[in-house]
Amino acid sequence: MNETIVTLQKNYEDRAGRQKTRITICAGTGCIANGAQAIIDSFRLNLAKLAQSNATLAIDTHDDHSETGIIGSGCQGFCQMGPLISIEPNGIFYVKVKQSDVDEIITETVINGRVIERLLYIDPATGLRCRGKAEIPFYQKQHRLTLELCGIIDPEDIGAYIAHDGYKAAFAVLSESSPEMVCAEILKSGLRGRGGGGFPTGKKWDLARIEPSDRKYVICNGDEGDPGAFMDRSVMEGNPHSVIEGMIIAGKAIGAKEGVVYVRAEYPLAVKRMRNAVKDALNKGFLGENILGSGFSFNIDVMEGAGAFVCGEETALMASVMGRRGMPSPKPPFPSQQGLHGKPTIINNVETLATVPIIIRMGADIFRTIGTEKSPGTKTFALTGHVANTGLIEVPFGTTLNEIVNDIGGGVLTSDGKRSDSFKLVQIGGPSGGCLTEENKSLSLDFDSLKSIGAMVGSGGLVVMNHNTCIVQVAKYFMNFTQNESCGKCVPCREGTKQLLLMLEEITQGKATLETLTDMEELANAVRIASLCGLGKTAPNPVLSTIRAFRDEYIEHIVDKKCRAGQCKALQKPEIHADICIGCGVCAKVCPVGAITGEKKQPHSINTEICIRCGACAQKCKFDAITGV
């Protein structure tokens, strides 16, 4: 083993070994937004005071006298319950911690070893309090591979990554393997791109490897733009060195000496931690010239993107890296032939690259035992929507939708927060994905099974929706997103998505006919076939998949002028709900056409023949008793 790695690992283990207590506070973006940084600061301040008062505690200052280590980790996944705190070696896991809880945690748990019951997670299914992650169903059903160290290590401490076998895969590849061997191993593992396409990573690398060129590039696509998706962001925030190590291995595989991490500017914490990690890796000799004495050189730049969804497409992303407007180009030539600056380039997303060192360490054969035959390994999903437990999860390919929604997600919630037996749909793969219904709850989630029903893994967003969701509004929401994000280069995408959005608007306004539905399907298929890039080709997916699964609901909007979810205001009849109205008469006084009548202290009513739907009555009603205006 390389001497640098051995030394750094030993130094870290010596330091960690002196810590009697280790406090890990989730410092991902979600928990930071909920006050995690203030909690971290309070722990450090209060423990420092104890140290000064000759107590037996000392804050971890990375010296030889630390007894209590405090780290801010990356996302621990259970975002619904944040801010989260893990205390080792006692295996205690606290949820929804506040800054005001810090003193009690130090006194009761850190000093006296007692558990604070009220801060433990309560399993709603059993009512039992869970002492640690191992007892919580949200974690029990997962197989955390890429996310294994997220939430455990300090992402700004390179020693922590190395102590968990970090950079050993890169060293093994640089010292023992040829580019052909690396490509063959990744191809053998069956790793497919986690960014949505599912293209075999080993094949992509080999295509770039065989291209003769004086310069080649590796690009990490961290421009995650899907609504409800934060998988890549969490990996960059929680374990940035795994991404760097994956890029080094990719560089060796194709013969590249330069890499770019393209991170959206809206991810400031990910940008900061990636830049810190690159700087530390360079200082320790894991990047730069003659890495670990192997004779191989590789450098990485971190670039902030402007947050354009179209830059998830390879050619658009490269245009952005080169300082041009993010617009796609026709393929071929493919990036592996003529990519960045006209040189062979591979582009992989964050999750794909972070998985590569794991494959090298465990071996392709073992990796293939996880997941399904044609979709080996695991996939991270951002689970959000009408589900009890939202957050970041990782499961083997082949896990069913039912297992994710009910076993890990804790089940579906109604709009008033009660448990429901079923969901209406699950939007998978972001705005370009598709919808899954109760009929698909036993479907094995993998690249091919989802493709067979017109959906896709996409980047991994999973948005659960209950029966109070209007299907046309869902399609309209995603179409509005893709229409706004269209770069405008090709007519089918630019104009087609605009017209699709207008048709959906007509349906929600009660102005559509059945011909509108037919036209919409024909146009959606035309956009899918004729668009230049992946954004345009997949933009109609929400329309086509929701029509396919919920055609009766579309027809109900068009023919019956009815929205069963009550979300299309234009289709609602003006109504004063008698069970809410107290008969104050304010609504009648502001109605400009005298459509509202009723006795004082008795429920009022609206004459729908007279009502002009100006909304003045609803604006004045303090009890939200009026709808449909």
Side-chain angles (χ1 to χ4, degrees):
M1 182 53 65
N2 178 269
E3 185 178 342
T4 301
I5 294 177
V6 172
T7 301
L8 288 171
Q9 182 171 2
K10 185 176 184 307
N11 289 344
Y12 179 85
E13 289 174 348
D14 287 346
R15 176 156 50 91
R18 285 187 286 276
Q19 294 173 352
K20 295 177 181 177
T21 305
R22 185 175 179 82
I23 303 169
T24 304
I25 304 160
C26 184
T29 292
C31 282
I32 290 285
N34 279 321
Q37 188 57 55
I39 294 171
I40 293 171
D41 293 341
S42 287
F43 266 111
R44 287 180 172 153
L45 179 64
N46 293 346
L47 286 170
K49 287 179 180 175
L50 284 172
Q52 290 172 3
S53 63
N54 296 324
T56 57
L57 291 167
I59 184 173
D60 177 13
T61 54
H62 290 198
D63 58 24
D64 292 338
H65 307 288
S66 304
E67 292 186 352
T68 302
I70 304 170
I71 68 165
S73 73
C75 178
Q76 297 184 19
F78 207 6
C79 306
Q80 183 86 14
M81 291 289 139
L84 310 169
I85 292 184
S86 301
I87 300 177
E88 300 294 346
N90 299 324
I92 297 170
F93 184 65
Y94 290 146
V95 301
K96 293 189 174 180
V97 178
K98 298 182 179 64
Q99 187 180 1
S100 56
D101 298 320
V102 172
D103 281 346
E104 186 178 0
I105 293 173
I106 291 175
T107 303
E108 289 297 303
T109 306
V110 178
I111 295 177
N112 296 314
R114 291 192 286 261
V115 176
I116 304 171
E117 295 286 328
R118 66 179 176 81
L119 293 178
L120 296 177
Y121 173 74
I122 301 174
D123 184 351
T126 62
L128 298 176
R129 294 181 187 275
C130 303
R131 179 186 171 100
K133 289 182 180 178
E135 299 175 8
I136 299 175
F138 177 81
Y139 289 108
Q140 286 176 329
K141 304 290 182 179
Q142 295 188 50
H143 186 135
R144 295 172 78 86
L145 199 64
T146 308
L147 298 177
E148 182 182 10
L149 297 182
C150 293
I152 294 177
I153 65 170
D154 181 350
E156 300 192 39
D157 185 347
I158 191 172
Y161 181 64
I162 291 171
H164 289 82
D165 294 332
Y167 288 111
K168 290 181 180 176
F171 176 71
V173 164
L174 298 184
S175 59
E176 301 170 6
S177 301
S178 65
E180 294 91 333
M181 292 167 66
V182 181
C183 290
E185 184 72 0
I186 298 302
L187 190 60
K188 184 181 177 184
S189 74
L191 178 66
R192 299 172 67 171
R194 290 347 190 203
F199 190 81
T201 303
K203 187 175 181 180
K204 178 185 282 190
W205 288 12
D206 206 45
L207 289 171
R209 180 189 66 80
I210 62 177
E211 288 291 329
S213 179
D214 57 336
R215 298 181 76 175
K216 297 181 182 180
Y217 297 95
V218 175
I219 296 179
C220 170
N221 180 3
D223 193 61
E224 188 176 48
D226 296 22
F230 50 94
M231 297 75 62
D232 289 347
R233 186 195 74 196
S234 296
V235 174
M236 289 187 286
E237 290 178 358
N239 193 5
H241 286 286
S242 66
V243 183
I244 294 171
E245 187 174 11
M247 292 181 72
I248 294 170
I249 295 169
K252 170 73 176 184
I254 70 168
K257 295 183 178 180
E258 296 174 65
V260 177
V261 181
Y262 187 89
V263 191
R264 64 191 297 114
E266 291 92 333
Y267 287 177
L269 189 59
V271 171
K272 172 178 172 281
R273 288 181 178 168
M274 281 304 311
R275 283 188 169 145
N276 284 344
V278 168
K279 182 180 176 182
D280 288 345
L282 191 60
N283 289 338
K284 300 298 182 185
F286 296 104
L287 287 175
E289 299 297 315
N290 191 24
I291 295 174
L292 301 176
S294 64
F296 179 74
S297 300
F298 191 75
N299 285 294
I300 291 177
D301 287 325
V302 178
M303 176 181 174
E304 293 179 58
F309 184 64
V310 71
C311 287
E313 201 280 337
E314 292 181 328
T315 56
L317 189 154
M318 289 188 296
S320 178
V321 172
M322 290 185 284
R324 303 170 188 163
R325 183 176 173 182
M327 300 178 84
S329 304
K331 291 187 278 189
F334 294 97
S336 59
Q337 301 165 308
Q338 293 181 33
L340 194 65
H341 305 299
K343 303 295 182 181
T345 303
I346 59 162
I347 303 172
N348 291 122
N349 87 322
V350 170
E351 187 182 347
T352 308
L353 289 166
T355 306
V356 166
I358 297 169
I359 293 172
I360 299 297
R361 285 200 299 270
M362 69 168 46
D365 290 335
I366 295 177
F367 181 78
R368 289 203 74 113
T369 63
I370 306 167
T372 65
E373 181 182 355
K374 294 185 178 178
S375 300
T378 59
K379 179 74 188 81
T380 60
F381 290 100
L383 184 61
T384 57
H386 299 136
V387 69
N389 301 326
T390 60
L392 188 68
I393 66 170
E394 183 174 2
V395 294
F397 278 113
T399 302
T400 66
L401 191 61
N402 185 56
E403 290 172 309
I404 291 176
V405 173
N406 291 313
D407 297 346
I408 298 173
V412 183
L413 299 181
T414 61
S415 296
D416 56 1
K418 297 177 181 175
R419 295 301 175 103
S420 173
D421 294 333
S422 60
F423 57 84
K424 183 169 186 173
L425 77 154
V426 175
Q427 178 72 18
I428 186 168
S432 301
C435 71
L436 306 176
T437 66
E438 274 285 313
E439 292 180 3
N440 307 122
K441 68 181 183 181
S442 299
L443 182 74
S444 161
L445 296 188
D446 59 59
F447 289 107
D448 301 310
S449 63
L450 286 168
K451 188 177 180 180
S452 70
I453 61 167
M456 59 191 288
V457 173
S459 58
L462 270 179
V463 186
V464 182
M465 303 182 205
N466 63 24
H467 290 277
N468 296 117
T469 305
C470 171
I471 204 67
V472 186
Q473 293 286 358
V474 170
K476 190 174 136 184
Y477 171 81
F478 285 113
M479 187 51 62
N480 185 57
F481 177 83
T482 50
Q483 200 272 322
N484 284 334
E485 292 291 336
S486 173
C487 74
K489 183 172 184 176
C490 74
V491 175
C493 177
R494 183 183 68 234
E495 297 300 326
T497 54
K498 187 177 181 180
Q499 292 304 316
L500 286 170
L501 183 60
L502 288 174
M503 290 180 188
L504 289 166
E505 182 67 26
E506 286 181 0
I507 294 174
T508 59
Q509 291 291 327
K511 300 175 182 175
T513 65
L514 288 176
E515 191 177 8
T516 307
L517 191 59
T518 304
D519 290 345
M520 197 162 65
E521 288 183 284
E522 289 181 1
L523 178 58
N525 279 311
V527 172
R528 182 174 60 82
I529 294 169
S531 291
L532 175 61
C533 77
L535 169 63
K537 289 182 182 299
T538 57
N541 281 353
V543 171
L544 292 171
S545 62
T546 52
I547 291 178
R548 188 163 49 242
F550 298 97
R551 179 177 287 273
D552 58 335
E553 200 166 324
Y554 273 92
I555 293 175
E556 201 170 76
H557 277 71
I558 295 169
V559 177
D560 302 329
K561 309 299 180 189
K562 177 185 174 185
C563 173
R564 66 178 69 176
Q567 294 183 10
C568 297
K569 282 191 172 181
L571 302 184
Q572 287 182 289
K573 291 181 179 178
E575 183 180 5
I576 298 177
H577 296 274
D579 56 335
I580 303 175
C581 178
I582 65 167
C584 66
V586 172
C587 55
K589 290 178 183 175
V590 298
C591 179
V593 294
I596 299 177
T597 57
E599 298 294 327
K600 195 171 183 180
K601 296 187 178 178
Q602 295 296 319
H604 284 38
S605 61
I606 298 180
N607 185 334
T608 56
E609 299 296 325
I610 301 175
C611 176
I612 59 172
R613 297 187 180 217
C614 66
C617 54
Q619 290 176 9
K620 288 292 182 182
C621 180
K622 297 180 180 177
F623 309 99
D624 294 328
I626 305 173
T627 57
V629 295

